[in-house]
Amino acid sequence: LGVIFNDAMSEITITMSSAYLCFYVAERAMGVSGVIAVVCFGLYFGSTGRTRVSPEVAHFLEEFWELLAFFGNTLIFVIAGIVIGKDVEADLLTAKNVGFLLLMYLACTVIRGLV
């Protein structure tokens, strides 16, 4: 990253490729947890690698990774909802239960608004 200066696409591609490469090498070559390896890579990059990213690209890079995290979280919760919804039995979806769920949703929204 120190060689490339002010090229957002190259710097983002390098950071993303490094994360994937770190996961692959940890899982396949070393036989350790790829997730833990990527977390360690993220901690290392957060402390040392940030100084190698050009200042003009740093904000864009941060926004890119936040957007990727948002997509990942959304995908996880959608898949979890589909899996759980598939396993719910039809007799549990009564009008009383649906009303209770809507009441809980409304209460959570009000509490979130107050906080």
Side-chain angles (χ1 to χ4, degrees):
L1 281 175
V3 177
I4 300 169
F5 186 73
N6 238 2
D7 188 7
M9 291 308 246
S10 296
E11 292 184 28
I12 287 174
T13 303
I14 288 172
T15 59
M16 185 173 244
S17 303
S18 299
Y20 276 112
L21 184 65
C22 179
F23 182 87
Y24 182 79
V25 167
E27 285 279 328
R28 302 287 181 195
M30 300 174 76
V32 297
S33 172
V35 175
I36 300 296
V38 172
V39 168
C40 291
F41 172 75
L43 291 172
Y44 172 76
F45 185 79
S47 65
T48 317
R50 250 181 221 272
T51 58
R52 298 185 187 268
V53 175
S54 27
E56 292 82 8
V57 179
H59 178 70
F60 182 67
L61 186 66
E62 186 174 331
E63 294 294 324
F64 172 78
W65 279 106
E66 283 184 22
L67 182 68
L68 223 59
F70 174 75
F71 285 152
N73 282 331
T74 302
L75 185 64
I76 287 170
F77 281 103
V78 166
I79 291 172
I82 290 170
V83 168
I84 291 171
K86 199 170 93 172
D87 290 343
V88 171
E89 296 177 18
D91 58 342
L92 291 178
L93 290 176
T94 63
K96 180 181 175 184
N97 287 344
V98 171
F100 182 68
L101 285 173
L102 291 174
L103 181 66
M104 290 298 295
Y105 175 76
L106 181 64
C108 288
T109 304
V110 168
I111 290 171
R112 187 175 181 189
L114 293 174
V115 172

